[in-house]
Amino acid sequence: MKTPFKNIQQVLRLNRLVVLTVVIASAMTCIVSVITVVKMQRQLLDTAFVVHDGGEVFPLKLVDQRENLEVEALAHLEQFHKWFYGLNAGNYEKNMEKALWLGNATVDAVYRQKKADGFYNRLLQYSLVQKVERIDSSIDIQEEPYRFETRIVISINRGTVTDAYELITSGRLIRVDRNFPHNPHGLLITDFFENSLQKIEAYETTEE
């Protein structure tokens, strides 16, 4: 003989089973959703910028950053050396401000040493034009910080005379947050050092 009490127990068991099933299903859905979102976020963070053939960086394009690391590193080094060494009386302060965004205190130390030696005063006093004629960089991107060595050819125009010099610099690159427009490549030069400076005899410069 069935009693109302037995029917209530069955209903409660059924309700408890339904609630438990819904809770488990909801929990599984939440876990899967979180994992999916995290995975998509990582993929987007790795593919958030595109690098032009010339080294310029454009945000919000979906490409793989790692495939472009070497291109960006070489572009970073080229831009830094153009700003740091391509100087004249009218642009040196602006160029140095831009260049210092691309390196850490070791770059600033080289700048301050040059300033203490009177290099920039001579640049202004004699209206010298220092131009970067060539930049060749090699970089090891196998392990961070990335070691680099750069060979640049500099011409110094003193009015009627133009001398050329070969400068070898070295250092390391580390990843930092991208900062548009100051540091679009998200790299920072550390351990920067001027290894050697040698005059080039009978070097012919070419106009761009």
Side-chain angles (χ1 to χ4, degrees):
M1 178 179 179
K2 294 184 178 180
T3 64
F5 180 75
K6 289 184 178 181
N7 291 336
I8 292 174
Q9 282 185 326
Q10 292 176 353
V11 171
L12 291 177
R13 290 195 189 98
L14 181 60
N15 288 343
R16 185 166 54 189
L17 180 61
V18 171
V19 170
L20 184 61
T21 302
V22 171
V23 170
I24 293 174
S26 299
M28 294 296 295
T29 301
C30 291
I31 292 173
V32 172
S33 299
V34 170
I35 294 174
T36 302
V37 169
V38 171
K39 184 178 180 180
M40 290 179 62
Q41 183 183 26
R42 288 179 178 175
Q43 290 176 345
L44 288 174
L45 287 175
D46 285 340
T47 57
F49 301 89
V50 65
V51 183
H52 187 264
D53 292 340
E56 297 89 348
V57 178
F58 300 94
L60 305 180
K61 301 293 183 179
L62 301 181
V63 294
D64 194 331
Q65 290 183 31
R66 287 171 295 183
E67 293 180 358
N68 295 301
L69 174 59
E70 186 173 5
V71 174
E72 289 203 69
L74 293 175
H76 186 89
L77 292 172
E78 180 174 359
Q79 188 63 77
F80 167 76
H81 285 87
K82 282 184 177 179
W83 281 335
F84 199 77
Y85 296 103
L87 305 172
N88 58 56
N91 73 2
Y92 94 90
E93 289 184 339
K94 184 177 180 181
N95 278 13
M96 293 308 302
E97 181 181 355
K98 292 179 179 178
L100 291 175
W101 276 97
L102 306 184
N104 71 351
T106 58
V107 172
D108 184 65
V110 174
Y111 163 68
R112 291 182 182 277
Q113 183 61 52
K114 288 178 176 291
K115 189 174 183 179
D117 292 341
F119 173 79
Y120 302 109
N121 287 337
R122 292 193 297 273
L123 186 77
L124 295 173
Q125 182 178 357
Y126 299 107
S127 298
L128 302 179
V129 177
Q130 180 170 287
K131 183 179 178 182
V132 177
E133 300 289 346
R134 183 175 176 180
I135 301 175
D136 294 309
S137 295
S138 60
I139 184 169
D140 181 4
I141 61 172
Q142 299 301 316
E143 184 178 359
E144 189 177 355
Y146 313 113
R147 295 176 178 270
F148 74 85
E149 182 176 275
T150 299
R151 172 186 177 270
I152 65 175
V153 175
I154 303 170
S155 65
I156 301 180
N157 187 302
R158 296 182 173 87
T160 58
V161 179
T162 299
D163 294 324
Y165 298 85
E166 180 187 75
L167 174 66
I168 306 295
T169 67
S170 63
R172 301 169 187 261
L173 287 173
I174 61 173
R175 291 178 181 266
V176 294
D177 291 336
R178 295 176 189 266
N179 185 337
F180 293 93
H182 301 298
N183 189 341
H185 296 107
L187 296 167
L188 192 71
I189 296 172
T190 67
D191 301 327
F192 183 66
F193 188 72
E194 293 181 341
N195 298 285
S196 64
L197 178 66
Q198 182 177 1
K199 186 175 181 178
I200 303 175
E201 301 295 340
Y203 182 85
E204 296 183 359
T205 61
T206 57
E207 296 292 335
E208 292 182 355

